[in-house]
Each structure stands twice: as C-alpha cells, then as structure tokens.
Amino acid sequence: MSQFMRKVIIVDDEPMIREGLNSMIAWESLGFEVVGLFEDGEDAWAFLQTHKQIDLVITDIQMDICTGLELLRRVRRADYRSRVLIISGYDEFHYLREAMTMGIDNYLLKPINKDELISSLGQIQESLLIEYRKSQELFEGTLLMKNNILNQIVMNNYSIRDVIEKCEMLNIDLQEGGFQVVVMDTITRQRNVSLLAERQLCEFAIRNVAQESIGENGIVYIFGNQSSQTIFLFAGINQSSQAAISNRMEDIAGLILNVLKIQVVAFIGRPCAFWRDIHLSYQSAMELYDYRYFVDTASIIDYTKKDRETKKEAFSKELGISQLNQLLEKQAYEETLIELERFGERFREILVPDVHIIRTALIDFALRCLSKLREMEFEILEHASDFQRSVDELFYADSKEKLYEHFWQIASTLLQTLQKLKMNRNTNIVEKVIKFIDAHYMEGLTLQQLSQQFHISAPYLGKRLKIELGQQFNEYLHHVRINKAKNLLLISDENAKDIAEKVGYTETNYFYSQFKRITGKSPMEFKKGI
C-alpha cells in the first residue's frame, strides 16, 4: 500500500456501473479514496475545477451531455496532473484511439473485470509514486541550489554572472530594490528542550514553522547556513515595510515557541538598497549575534535601534569602559586584565541606582570580547563549561556587588582565553600537537579534543595542520596508526585484531580497510612480504 491516499472520482451515466465500481474493490487497501461519483462529464468537470488535486479520473468514454473524451480534453487543456482511466465498450474503439492520442493511463472494457481494475490501479499507483519521488528529488535539488546561492550572496562570495543566472533560474527576485537580513538562532540559556540537542533537525523545524508563518506575504527567502542559523532575506522593502519586519519576526518567534517550545532570538540587520550590499546587512545582524548568550526569552534585536541610552553611555565613560575597549582592540589582553582591576575599584565607588543600566554596560564589554573570539573561530561554550553559569548569575544579579563579582568571572575568562589564543597563534602550536598525536595515537583522538587540550579553536587548528602537514587531521592520524601497526606486524607475533586495538582501531574491519588503502596490501600480505 502506498504511504499516500490517492483521490479518485468515477464518472459514468449508468448508475449500476458507477456504484458497482465504487463497491467492487476495497479502494483504501490499494491506496485510493473515492471522493466523488458523477453521472456526467459536465458535473465532473465542475468538481475538478474546485478540486484540482484529484489523482485519478475513471470515466466512461460515451455520455450524453459531456463525453469522457470531452472531459479528457478539458483536463489536458487545463494542464491538470490527474491520471485518466477510460471505460469503453467493444464498439467504441474509434473513440478510444482518440483518447489514447490525448494520453490515458489505461482503458477497461465493459463489463469491468475486477482483477483488471486492480492491476490497472496498481500500475497507476506505482507510476504516481515514481513521479512523486522524481518531483521530490527535483524539489530538494532546487532547494539546495537556492540555499547555496543565497548563502553566497549574504557572505559576499560569488560571481555576478553566476548570481544573475542562478537567481533567474530559481525565481529569486533581486531586481526589486530594498533588502534586509534577519539572522535567527536559539537562545543558549534555555534548558530541557530535547530538540536543541539535534542542531540540524532543530534548524529544519524552525525553518518550516517560519515558512508557515510568513506564507506568501511579501518577498521573503528563508534558508539555513553551515552554523545551523536560520536566515531571512526580505526583498522589495521600503520605509513602511521596514517598520513591520520587527513585528513579523515577533510573530514568528511566538509561533516557534508555541509549536516547538523553543526560545529564539532574531537579529535584524540594517537595510540596504541594492542586492550587492546584502552582505552588509548580514554583517550588521551578526554584530549583534552574541546577545544570544545574555537573553532568556524570545527576543528581537534590531541593529537600527541599538541601545544608545545617555545614562548608559555616561556610566560607561565614568567607569572607563572605553579604555578597556581600546586595549581590547589593540589585543593587549594582559594590560586589559590589569585595567580590569582598576575598573573594579572605580566600580565600587560609583553610585548608580539603576542595576539594569550597569548590567547593560557590562554586557556590552563582554560582547566585544566574544566578538574577538568569533574572529578567531572560537566557541567559548565548548571550552569553558562554567561560562554559561556565570552568564546566568550575571543576568539575575540584583545588586551592584553581585553584578561585579559575576562580571569579573566572565570578563577574566574571556580575556584569559583571548590571551592564550594569541600566545598559541604566535608559537609553533602544530609542532606541539604533532608530538601529542605521536604519543597518544592509540587513544580516540578528535580535532575537538586537541583544540581543548591546546586551548585553540578547532577550525583554526584544522587549517594549520592542513597547511603544515599537507593533509587533514584524520588522514594524518590514520598514517601514524598504520605506520605503528606496520612496525608491530614485523617485530611481534600478535594477530592483526590485537594490533588494531593497540594502535587505536576498535573495529578490525575498519583497520583492515585503512591498512589496505594506505599500504596497498592487507596486514597479512605485508607481514609475509608478499
């Protein structure tokens, strides 16, 4: 039985045949549902015009008012995708030939044979399923192409000719001026949401709900990127529609919370007039990205309405946060830590009654630090397990003293991390990593584990290893292990299974395949010198 229930209508001016076809077989067991019985082609045509998703029309070829031929002709002219099964008498072959030229799936001669009907329905069902699979493959391929070209546009990584050709082919309208990018992601501070553990599945679910909420209201392209963020590209916007984008994103965030129980935050970039500046709108949205660490409810953060409160600016100036920012820009992280001590002294002396203003100013500095880490492709949550707890405590702190205590924990963690990253990038970290791999090759090493061991971002370490070794980390690890295995095969009497385990392979078959791939021989062939 098909996983889809196909809709069928039966058209015949003889009640006995019409009702007989309906009751002759168990339609549902074959994956079909009869949704209409009609005594004339005219009635059937009226029904088809309002119910275009009819998969199969079974019609008599000869009827008084509107024949089956005329019904078939109308279906084909309207380009409906319904399959057609003709019922014909022995003396109606000249009509049948005409029907076949217009495209029918089969014909049945009266009186109707049950087995022939079931056989025809099986063929039609199989044909419909093949067609569906092809359409799904085409849809998924088109979706992937659209996703890729939109990512190239927001990342400013494209050739103009390629963009114009592909956008025209994929019905992406870049001619209508006025664009704005919104980046949506999940809030890091939420707990106990199982869907969050599956990053890609979570992104897929969010995109589906967002697409449902957007509907066909305006030109909006929704797609994902490699970081599993959901990106909205609004096109054809003006000043009035810009003001409405924030409200639309609030509605989407509310629907996602209601349907998926997930809190999201949306970062609205600044608008731009031309498609070649879309990447600037994306960049401005990403400048706000680290706010996801500090919010705990569904939020919309608009670049064009960034916090410029006079009180906060005055407070920041009085405390000397601007000096901390200057040292941060110079990558003088050790000096920034020293200045942070002086900052603490001033912080204790200043009198500010509004705790919220203090918290906002402190968060701004933390965001600058996180932005520096992002430039180094470093994700703090992967390396500092207590960072999120410190953020939570900062967020809920209700006094100036508690605010500074938790801010110090956050700022010192970030600055020390930046200092270590800077030191590691200025030393031959690859040499240290290689020595570590050579000593621990038999363990279940991963690039992520090495990045934590040497306090450096995994993407950066992977790039450095590729440049200096001429091969990816996993490939280098395979070669180290296989070379160790070769030595053991030559000097010991241990079997290949034990040697595989000694050099770090838990699966013997996998060891065999890697050994053969690298040496061109099986372990036994190598041992025997074949």
Side-chain angles (χ1 to χ4, degrees), residues 15-272:
M16 187 176 297
I17 294 179
R18 192 167 62 243
E19 297 292 343
L21 280 171
N22 187 34
S23 59
M24 180 180 287
I25 59 174
W27 290 90
E28 290 187 5
S29 68
L30 298 171
F32 291 94
E33 176 189 8
V34 178
V35 296
L37 301 174
F38 303 95
E39 63 178 345
D40 187 82
E42 200 67 55
D43 294 336
W45 174 242
F47 181 82
L48 284 169
Q49 287 178 289
T50 55
H51 300 76
K52 297 177 182 178
Q53 299 303 318
I54 299 300
D55 298 288
L56 175 60
V57 176
I58 301 178
T59 179
D60 189 7
I61 202 167
Q62 270 287 65
M63 292 176 288
D64 290 337
I65 300 175
C66 175
T67 66
L69 273 178
E70 178 58 27
L71 178 60
L72 172 60
R73 192 175 289 113
R74 293 180 187 182
V75 167
R76 294 296 177 247
R77 283 175 182 169
D79 200 28
Y80 294 167
R81 302 187 67 84
S82 305
R83 303 304 179 93
V84 178
L85 183 60
I86 291 288
I87 301 171
S88 170
Y90 283 103
D91 58 348
E92 296 171 337
F93 276 108
H94 59 292
Y95 295 121
L96 191 56
R97 279 197 299 269
E98 186 178 349
M100 292 174 74
T101 63
M102 286 187 282
I104 60 175
D105 288 82
N106 208 342
Y107 67 90
L108 297 173
L109 292 174
K110 299 175 184 177
I112 306 300
N113 180 281
K114 179 179 178 180
D115 292 337
E116 287 181 2
L117 175 59
I118 291 174
S119 176
S120 293
L121 292 175
Q123 292 169 12
I124 291 170
Q125 184 69 270
E126 184 177 351
S127 176
L128 285 167
L129 190 56
I130 291 171
E131 184 181 273
Y132 171 78
R133 286 172 178 163
K134 286 181 178 178
S135 67
Q136 281 297 104
E137 289 173 4
L138 180 62
F139 172 76
E140 289 170 5
T142 301
L143 196 64
L144 182 61
M145 288 176 64
K146 184 177 284 191
N147 203 76
N148 288 343
I149 197 66
L150 289 169
N151 268 290
Q152 289 174 30
I153 291 170
V154 299
M155 297 303 294
N156 198 28
N157 179 27
Y158 55 81
S159 72
I160 295 177
R161 180 178 177 180
D162 192 41
V163 165
I164 293 172
E165 288 179 354
K166 287 184 178 176
C167 285
E168 184 176 347
M169 179 179 69
L170 298 167
N171 294 319
I172 299 173
D173 186 4
L174 297 181
Q175 302 309 312
E176 190 71 32
F179 302 94
Q180 196 160 14
V181 172
V182 180
V183 178
M184 177 178 282
D185 208 336
T186 55
I187 293 172
T188 60
R189 301 181 65 222
Q190 58 195 312
R191 303 286 189 273
N192 302 321
V193 183
S194 57
L195 189 56
L196 290 174
E198 299 289 340
R199 192 85 167 107
Q200 290 183 328
L201 180 62
C202 181
E203 179 214 345
F204 179 76
I206 288 172
R207 282 169 57 188
N208 278 352
V209 174
Q211 192 69 62
E212 180 182 335
S213 177
I214 288 288
E216 297 182 2
N217 187 12
I219 306 173
V220 189
Y221 304 105
I222 304 176
F223 55 102
N225 61 13
Q226 290 184 338
S227 300
S228 294
Q229 299 160 343
T230 300
I231 302 175
F232 300 75
L233 173 58
F234 290 84
I237 62 170
N238 50 38
Q239 282 191 331
S240 60
S241 57
Q242 281 177 31
I245 286 176
S246 181
N247 292 333
R248 292 180 74 180
M249 296 312 300
E250 285 181 4
D251 291 341
I252 293 169
L255 185 62
I256 290 169
L257 178 59
N258 185 47
V259 174
L260 303 176
K261 311 305 179 191
I262 291 175
Q263 300 273 10
V264 294
V265 57
F267 309 100
I268 302 177
R270 64 182 177 86
C272 60

Side-chain angles (χ1 to χ4, degrees), residues 244-428:
I245 286 176
S246 181
N247 292 333
R248 292 180 74 180
M249 296 312 300
E250 285 181 4
D251 291 341
I252 293 169
L255 185 62
I256 290 169
L257 178 59
N258 185 47
V259 174
L260 303 176
K261 311 305 179 191
I262 291 175
Q263 300 273 10
V264 294
V265 57
F267 309 100
I268 302 177
R270 64 182 177 86
C272 60
F274 305 104
W275 73 264
R276 294 193 66 183
D277 292 330
I278 287 173
H279 70 283
L280 298 176
S281 181
Y282 172 74
Q283 287 172 9
S284 63
M286 287 304 294
E287 286 180 26
L288 309 170
Y289 185 68
D290 288 321
Y291 274 99
R292 67 191 285 259
Y293 292 112
F294 296 96
V295 295
D296 64 348
T297 58
S299 305
I300 311 300
I301 302 176
D302 193 336
Y303 182 89
T304 62
K305 299 175 183 177
K306 285 199 299 185
D307 193 349
R308 299 287 187 223
E309 295 177 16
T310 305
K311 288 182 180 179
K312 188 190 77 172
E313 290 182 352
F315 171 72
S316 298
K317 186 176 181 180
E318 186 174 350
L319 278 179
I321 290 181
S322 57
Q323 190 171 352
L324 286 173
N325 291 334
Q326 289 171 7
L327 291 170
L328 193 64
E329 288 302 315
K330 294 177 182 177
Q331 298 185 17
Y333 305 126
E334 192 171 349
E335 293 176 47
T336 313
L337 279 165
I338 294 171
E339 182 61 29
L340 200 61
E341 295 282 358
R342 300 191 187 112
F343 169 85
E345 294 171 6
R346 293 191 294 269
F347 188 91
R348 294 182 186 94
E349 295 171 358
I350 196 169
L351 178 62
V352 178
D354 192 339
V355 173
H356 173 69
I357 293 175
I358 304 175
R359 181 167 26 240
T360 306
L362 299 180
I363 285 174
D364 277 356
F365 178 74
L367 289 171
R368 285 178 178 268
C369 293
L370 285 166
S371 178
K372 290 295 178 186
L373 287 171
R374 180 154 285 105
E375 290 174 12
M376 298 185 182
E377 304 176 75
F378 191 89
E379 176 56 63
I380 189 67
L381 292 181
E382 295 177 1
H383 296 261
S385 58
D386 59 343
F387 178 77
Q388 188 63 65
R389 186 176 68 253
S390 298
V391 170
D392 289 343
E393 289 169 345
L394 175 69
F395 198 88
Y396 292 117
D398 55 4
S399 69
K400 191 174 72 169
E401 291 72 21
K402 289 181 180 177
L403 273 173
Y404 180 72
E405 176 189 344
H406 302 311
F407 169 69
W408 167 257
Q409 292 172 348
I410 291 171
S412 59
T413 296
L414 294 172
L415 289 168
Q416 288 168 13
T417 302
L418 285 164
Q419 178 70 2
K420 289 177 182 176
L421 284 170
K422 181 181 177 183
M423 289 174 59
N424 283 336
R425 290 196 171 198
N426 292 334
T427 59
N428 191 357

